[in-house]
Amino acid sequence: MIIIDTHTHIYSKEFDADRGDVIRRAKEAGIRAVLLPNEDSTSIESLNRLCDEEPDFAFPMMGLHPTSVGEDYAAELKKIEAALTKRKYIAIGEIGIDLYWDKRYLKQQKEVFEEQLRWSIDMQLPVVIHTRKSLSEALDSIYNVGADKLKGVFHCFSGSVEEWRRISKLPSFLAGIGGVVTFKNCGLSETLKEIPLERIVVETDAPYLAPVPYRGGRNEPVYIVETIKKLSESYKMTSEELAKRCFQNSLEIFGVPIQYTDN
């Protein structure tokens, strides 16, 4: 198979002890690239270091995660904006709105999210959007900034048919499908019947959300194979063909500077 893991945090401390082995296993499984979303100012250094060490494999995004939006959000946002001027990034991410953990900063989260959406338009970069208990709020912000000018991925999509239909009205947005699709009774199997194959990419969100049979443990890019297997059942094709189609989708939305090859 030939695969791009479009969302993984393998630069984080959870991989400090064996990052090299994690990358080796990923490459051996056919993963040609991993796309790395930033979290906040504290993760920039480790993110960029890994991309410097693996320049043909690891590709960085830059953004401020909604759960990192607090009292100091303005200063944090300035640090993220400054980072964007110092090297090339393939996307603005991981950004969005999260109302699962804390609703106190909804106003600030919306402000930060919309500012980063504007950056993506100015820089002509896709966005990678985190929505947890917040799809309506995120869609409001997208339409407020300019839905026709934006493109990207709704990361870790696990929503209902109705939620997908709302996203599907944004023709330049895809669904990022990860290990949740392997969970029993997750509900995604019905939603996937509504999602055309050309509108999905695959991801792990490692170290989080490991798929079955690794659920509950640390996730890593090589486990994306389990997600692909499950998706291939839904789309009634081989894992190899499913992976190839998702690979092509990833190239198109992110402009990853690699080429498709069967080798």
Side-chain angles (χ1 to χ4, degrees):
M1 287 190 284
I2 183 165
I3 307 164
I4 295 176
D5 182 351
T6 62
H7 195 112
T8 183
H9 300 263
I10 59 169
Y11 59 84
S12 65
K13 65 181 184 301
E14 287 86 351
F15 297 95
D16 284 351
D18 64 343
R19 187 172 290 109
D21 290 334
V22 168
I23 291 173
R24 175 184 55 78
R25 287 192 290 269
K27 291 179 177 180
E28 289 175 353
I31 297 173
R32 288 284 312 283
V34 292
L35 311 188
L36 309 180
N38 189 55
E39 296 168 13
D40 53 39
S41 63
T42 66
S43 55
I44 295 173
E45 182 179 356
S46 56
L47 169 77
N48 287 339
R49 184 189 311 119
L50 177 55
C51 293
D52 289 338
E53 293 171 353
E54 294 281 346
D56 299 319
F57 179 71
F59 298 90
M61 310 177 198
M62 183 51 55
L64 180 59
H65 193 286
T67 62
S68 293
V69 174
E71 294 292 343
D72 62 343
Y73 76 98
E76 273 291 289
L77 198 58
K78 286 183 179 179
K79 293 175 183 177
I80 300 300
E81 186 175 21
L84 278 164
T85 67
K86 296 177 181 178
R87 68 181 299 155
K88 184 176 180 180
Y89 293 93
I90 62 165
I92 305 295
E94 172 178 358
I95 66 175
I97 298 175
D98 188 308
L99 300 180
Y100 178 81
W101 294 108
D102 193 342
K103 298 180 180 179
R104 290 179 299 164
Y105 297 106
L106 173 58
K107 180 180 177 181
Q108 293 88 342
Q109 284 192 43
K110 286 178 69 70
E111 180 180 337
V112 167
F113 181 40
E114 292 184 11
E115 178 65 10
Q116 292 179 102
L117 291 176
R118 286 188 283 270
W119 294 350
S120 77
I121 293 172
D122 292 342
M123 300 180 73
Q124 297 185 313
L125 289 174
V127 291
V128 172
I129 299 177
H130 172 112
T131 57
R132 195 168 185 190
K133 303 293 184 182
S134 60
L135 180 61
S136 293
E137 290 81 1
L139 289 173
D140 285 346
S141 289
I142 288 170
Y143 283 109
N144 185 46
V145 172
D148 59 326
K149 300 175 183 178
L150 293 161
K151 64 178 181 178
V153 173
F154 279 83
H155 153 61
C156 195
F157 180 74
S158 56
S160 66
V161 170
E162 178 55 35
E163 287 174 320
W164 168 250
R165 287 174 179 168
R166 297 177 69 188
I167 292 171
S168 71
K169 295 177 182 178
L170 302 169
S172 298
F173 278 85
L174 282 63
I177 307 296
V180 173
V181 74
T182 69
F183 296 176
K184 186 178 181 180
N185 301 322
C186 74
L188 256 180
S189 57
E190 285 302 310
T191 306
L192 286 170
K193 295 176 182 178
E194 296 265 341
I195 307 179
L197 183 54
E198 62 267 22
R199 297 196 63 178
I200 68 169
V201 292
V202 288
E203 58 176 56
T204 60
D205 201 22
Y208 315 108
L209 297 173
V212 174
Y214 308 101
R215 188 176 183 181
R218 185 192 71 172
N219 201 1
E220 63 175 271
V222 71
Y223 297 163
I224 203 168
V225 172
E226 302 301 326
T227 296
I228 289 171
K229 288 178 182 177
K230 187 66 176 180
L231 284 171
S232 69
E233 295 172 7
S234 295
Y235 287 97
K236 295 180 172 57
M237 60 176 58
T238 67
S239 294
E240 289 75 15
E241 180 62 18
L242 187 285
K244 178 180 178 181
R245 294 286 296 276
C246 289
F247 182 93
Q248 293 168 335
N249 295 344
S250 302
L251 294 184
E252 290 173 9
I253 194 69
F254 288 109
V256 186
I258 58 178
Q259 295 181 339
Y260 174 78
T261 174
D262 289 312
N263 298 326

